[in-house]
Amino acid sequence: MSGSRLAAMATAILWGFTYLLTTDMLPHHPALVAAVRALGGAAFLLAIGWELPPRDWLGRLFILGTLNTGVFFGLFFIGVMRLPGGVAAIFQALGPIAVLLLAWGILRKTPSAMQFLSVAMGVVGVTLVVLRAGVRIDGIGVAAALASTVSLSLGGVLMNRWGRAPIGFAAFTGWQLLVGGVELALVTLLIGDFGGGITVTNVVAFAILAVLLTGIPFLLWFKAISRIGAVNVMPFILLTPVTALVLDAVFKGLIPTAIQLLGVAIVMAALVVNYLASRAAG
């Protein structure tokens, strides 16, 4: 397996920790959490790789930052906080399908039957992993989770269409996070999505979220997209809910059911099929 695929896999696994952190250690203010996540990640990356983007790339960075960070983060945390039982992960699993369709329309890359089969298997597998009986579905949460997935998928496809700015990956990623972070900070102030005291636990969680679960993973994710394409990278996001399942078992004592383990097996099979499909496509 190539280094880019390993980087995408590592990113998806790291993102799996976000669910545990969000539900157990962060304040219940989605806009605030999203803003701090983006701005903290931006500060970390720009501190280690400061470069000014070229003027002709400012518009593109604004669009990419809005899609990959502003819209994605804001709606992601709304979905996670409003949908119980990891249901938001089901909609995240639709990301590979969204990327296939967007790449078909924007990049003129016709998907193969094997690619569609792999992403369909992935959705089924993730559904078995996270969906529990008796879960009530919140309409706003569903809309937010689905829109966040489409936003990240479109951002990835546009990165392939435009390439990356002639600056280092740390700066390229950091500027996108900064754009989205400023947008989210403005939204936080406008809607007043803050209040109550911030605990020491919250501060530690914010630091982990900004650096380990945002700055580093997004740097790896964008590198992988630039090298092997969003179509080959997005399926690895299926590992995020699988990681969340493992963490629930380790830290909360929630032993996976046979159905959930079947779902994990289907997710892994989906990734194998996707890899074979990408090899066949050359």
Side-chain angles (χ1 to χ4, degrees):
M1 184 177 290
S2 69
S4 295
R5 286 184 168 83
L6 289 174
M9 180 184 299
T11 296
I13 291 172
L14 284 172
W15 282 343
F17 286 79
T18 306
Y19 292 96
L20 182 66
L21 205 70
T22 300
T23 55
D24 290 4
M25 298 180 67
L26 290 169
H28 197 80
H29 297 289
L32 174 65
V33 171
V36 173
R37 178 184 188 184
L39 292 174
F44 168 71
L45 290 175
L46 292 175
I48 65 174
W50 171 262
E51 287 184 76
L52 287 172
R55 185 172 298 179
D56 60 344
W57 258 87
L58 294 178
R60 291 179 179 180
L61 281 173
F62 175 78
I63 293 171
L64 292 176
T66 299
L67 292 172
N68 288 328
T69 306
V71 175
F72 172 59
F73 282 4
L75 296 180
F76 170 81
F77 282 109
I78 292 174
V80 170
M81 291 182 181
R82 296 184 70 103
L83 293 175
V87 176
I90 296 175
F91 296 94
Q92 209 171 30
L94 296 176
I97 295 178
V99 165
L100 279 183
L101 296 176
L102 289 167
W104 192 359
I106 295 173
L107 305 179
R108 305 302 181 195
K109 290 187 176 180
T110 304
S112 67
M114 281 186 69
Q115 285 176 316
F116 271 121
L117 172 62
S118 70
V119 296
M121 289 171 62
V123 173
V124 171
V126 170
T127 300
L128 294 178
V129 167
V130 303
L131 194 59
R132 298 182 176 89
V135 170
R136 293 189 299 173
I137 303 299
D138 177 85
I140 295 176
V142 167
L146 183 59
S148 72
T149 296
V150 173
S151 183
L152 183 66
S153 301
L154 179 57
V157 171
L158 288 178
M159 282 179 61
N160 284 155
R161 180 178 177 86
W162 293 334
R164 72 177 176 91
I167 54 178
F169 273 106
F172 180 63
T173 306
W175 283 111
Q176 290 185 56
L177 289 170
L178 182 61
V179 167
V182 171
E183 293 171 344
L184 289 163
L186 292 174
V187 170
T188 302
L189 292 173
L190 285 173
I191 66 176
D193 189 29
F194 50 82
I198 299 296
T199 67
V200 174
T201 298
N202 294 156
V203 172
V204 172
F206 276 133
I208 294 171
L209 182 66
V211 178
L212 297 180
L213 305 184
T214 303
I216 293 173
F218 269 88
L219 177 63
L220 296 174
W221 189 254
F222 289 164
K223 274 189 177 182
I225 287 176
S226 71
R227 291 173 178 168
I228 62 175
V231 169
N232 293 320
V233 169
M234 186 58 80
F236 285 101
I237 207 167
L238 299 173
L239 291 173
T240 297
V242 172
T243 302
L245 176 72
V246 173
L247 292 174
D248 278 346
V250 172
F251 291 103
K252 297 182 179 181
L254 300 176
I255 306 302
T257 65
I259 294 295
Q260 287 177 313
L261 292 177
L262 174 62
V264 171
I266 293 174
V267 167
M268 297 306 176
L271 291 176
V272 172
V273 172
N274 181 266
Y275 176 71
L276 295 175
S278 66
R279 290 287 298 272

